Amino acid sequence: MKQFRKLVTPYCLWLFLLTVVPMLLIVFYAFTEKGTAITTFSFTLENFTKFLDPIFVSVLFRSLKLGLLTTGVCFLVGYPIAYMIAKCKDTTQTILILLITIPTWINLLMRTYSWISILSNNGLLNKLFEAIGMNSVNMLYTDFAVIIGMVYNFLPFMILPIHASLTNMDKSLLEASQDLGASPIQTFFKITFRLSLSGVLTGITLVFLPSISAFVIPKMLGGGQYSLIGNFIEQQFITIGNWHFGSAVSLILAVFVIGLMALIFMAEKRTNNSVEEEEGGWLSNAKRKKVR
Amino acid sequence: MRKERKSVRILWIGVCLFFLYFPLIIMAVFSFNDAKSLTHFSGFSFKWYGSLFENTQLLDAVLVSVSIAIIATIVSTILGTITAIALSKSKKIVRTSILQVNNLPIMNPEIVTAIALMLFFSFANIEKGYMTMLLAHIAFCTPYVITNVLPKVKQLDPHLADAAMDLGATPFQTLMKVIIPQIKPGILAGALFAFTMSFDDFIISYFVSGNGVENISIVVYNMTKRLNPSIYALSTIVLVVILFALLIGTFVPYILVKRKGVKMNEEVN
């Protein structure tokens, strides 16, 4: 079987060229600035000191706030749904899970596009408000619209892993808990919820991380000047053309996100108490849950 | 008490499904609207479908999206499958380090991957266009293929391949006749994942393409400022195609299995 070992070489080269080198370029740009006539680039830490700028701090704060709110709403809405689906009959469960997965197959921009007409000032929702005698509300291009858009797009990624962990649970534990005299509420918090924690963590990862680095949804539903960290990076590269500062922001975002994922992974391992079967496999598990 | 709970359950799930499907339904309904308005339905017409097929910009974008998705899926599936097979045989240290790097595009926020690739293409002096978009799509699809295929390869019985080669099969024959048929579900899942990732991608395509090469997402993005019901028509077509593909994907295997079962029963009888 050793004959096949050599086959790893093409992908090694590919990975080096299209993953390692590009990431190193980000690091390179982040630590340099446009140099003098003699050297084209010179080393600097200035790109990182710019972070203390109040404008940037407010962008960062806003991204975190919207990310947390989106994750919170997705969890509060998604957990009960996952729980209720897990209580249904097997065939009903398959159909419901399929129904929840289908929207994720449709282009994110197209799905978000129709929210524009629903939320706009003379949009469907406002027409409805008028019909029942309420004043029209300005919704499009506000935080509310952005959160609605993100919850709409990311909710399935919260429901699916939680549902998976709920159905994998050993049902006899629930019976045991009830036999030993626990109330349904006690059973839920001490058994069901604890055992579904790994699914919850996966769900939080799959919602929180894309929502803090989101870039299209805030731009479409939040309006042009709306700035989250993703929009900020785009601005630096496309409009302003300061690749060095843009790279520094990207680098920070990447380190933050990957660090957070590592932390969540460790927490997941602790709650699971199970030995992960393979190196590098945890993430693929999360993603496999995502595709189902 | 019991019944009450059940109705609460149905209500809650119903509201959730309504939330998920309402925008899609709106989109489909108003794609048949007579007027340009997206809030007032004034009459039924195929007008926007007609203007969709006259819109060369949109049609070009559909062509770009579909062709890139197909080529990227084929290349990344082959590359990813071969690599996954090779990885399962290589030394642990090689495997771990490659998988760590392989995870980077999956874990990285998409916008960072996009920026990184953009910097790379401008650094390597490759002109932005169709080729760069294709290369970028292969680059972000392959890791997903590997994570889908590798677990299946690991479940394989290594003795089977050894047996095939002992019986005189060349390594290539072993690969095609013994290994690949057994990991087919993983390969298919990986290919499907790669196709949808590539077809739906916006951020990476947006940063690495240029010279007028646009995929569907980029065109939709550029049209957000002025609402255009043609986008609704296009979205409805995509929605119907996906639903159709899903129906076939879910029910055809089911029917085939059933028929086979009937046939086998007949033979037994």
Side-chain angles (χ1 to χ4, degrees), chain A residues 202-238:
Chain A
T202 311
I204 289 175
T205 323
L206 291 178
V207 173
F208 183 67
L209 297 181
S211 61
I212 48 164
S213 57
F215 147 73
V216 200
I217 302 169
K219 188 129 186 185
M220 283 170 89
L221 298 175
Q225 75 291 356
Y226 203 90
S227 216
L228 292 188
I229 195 159
N231 309 91
F232 193 80
I233 294 174
E234 188 228 356
Q235 244 175 37
Q236 291 301 320
F237 276 93
I238 306 281

Side-chain angles (χ1 to χ4, degrees), chain A residues 75-273:
Chain A
F75 173 71
L76 289 178
V77 177
Y79 196 96
I81 291 171
Y83 184 77
M84 287 169 194
I85 293 178
K87 292 257 155 162
C88 292
K89 271 182 267 160
D90 275 0
T91 34
T92 328
Q93 279 194 41
T94 320
I95 294 171
L96 285 174
I97 288 300
L98 190 66
L99 279 176
I100 286 180
T101 320
I102 289 173
T104 66
W105 285 58
I106 294 149
N107 197 313
L108 183 141
L109 280 104
M110 290 179 171
R111 280 180 287 152
T112 312
Y113 196 72
S114 74
W115 276 106
I116 298 179
S117 67
I118 296 173
L119 294 174
S120 70
N121 276 344
N122 45 11
L124 278 172
L125 259 181
N126 271 325
K127 285 255 164 83
L128 188 78
F129 286 161
E130 273 166 35
I132 54 174
M134 280 165 63
N135 286 333
S136 66
V137 191
N138 182 25
M139 284 178 291
L140 192 60
Y141 307 136
T142 62
D143 279 4
F144 173 75
V146 178
I147 290 175
I148 284 273
M150 296 216 270
V151 169
Y152 174 70
N153 281 295
F154 302 141
L155 184 61
F157 301 131
M158 181 66 90
I159 299 177
L160 297 176
I162 294 179
H163 173 260
S165 69
L166 282 173
T167 45
N168 285 337
M169 211 169 59
D170 187 353
K171 299 285 183 305
S172 55
L173 287 172
L174 299 181
E175 289 159 19
S177 147
Q178 270 165 1
D179 286 350
L180 293 170
S183 70
I185 293 172
Q186 276 178 323
T187 309
F188 176 77
F189 281 107
K190 295 210 162 160
I191 310 282
T192 316
F193 188 70
R194 293 235 176 130
L195 286 177
S196 64
L197 262 183
S198 73
V200 172
L201 280 175
T202 311
I204 289 175
T205 323
L206 291 178
V207 173
F208 183 67
L209 297 181
S211 61
I212 48 164
S213 57
F215 147 73
V216 200
I217 302 169
K219 188 129 186 185
M220 283 170 89
L221 298 175
Q225 75 291 356
Y226 203 90
S227 216
L228 292 188
I229 195 159
N231 309 91
F232 193 80
I233 294 174
E234 188 228 356
Q235 244 175 37
Q236 291 301 320
F237 276 93
I238 306 281
T239 332
I240 299 173
N242 187 349
W243 288 20
H244 300 278
F245 186 43
S247 297
V249 179
S250 310
L251 187 64
I252 293 285
L253 182 65
V255 169
F256 175 73
V257 163
I258 293 175
L260 206 67
M261 275 183 130
L263 275 180
I264 290 177
F265 167 53
M266 287 195 305
E268 200 171 11
K269 233 182 174 176
R270 264 183 143 182
T271 56
N272 255 348
N273 260 342

Side-chain angles (χ1 to χ4, degrees), chain B residues 169-185:
Chain B
T170 62
F172 183 71
Q173 281 174 324
T174 314
L175 190 68
M176 298 306 284
K177 298 206 166 166
V178 178
I179 298 179
I180 291 191
Q182 292 184 79
I183 54 173
K184 231 181 191 169

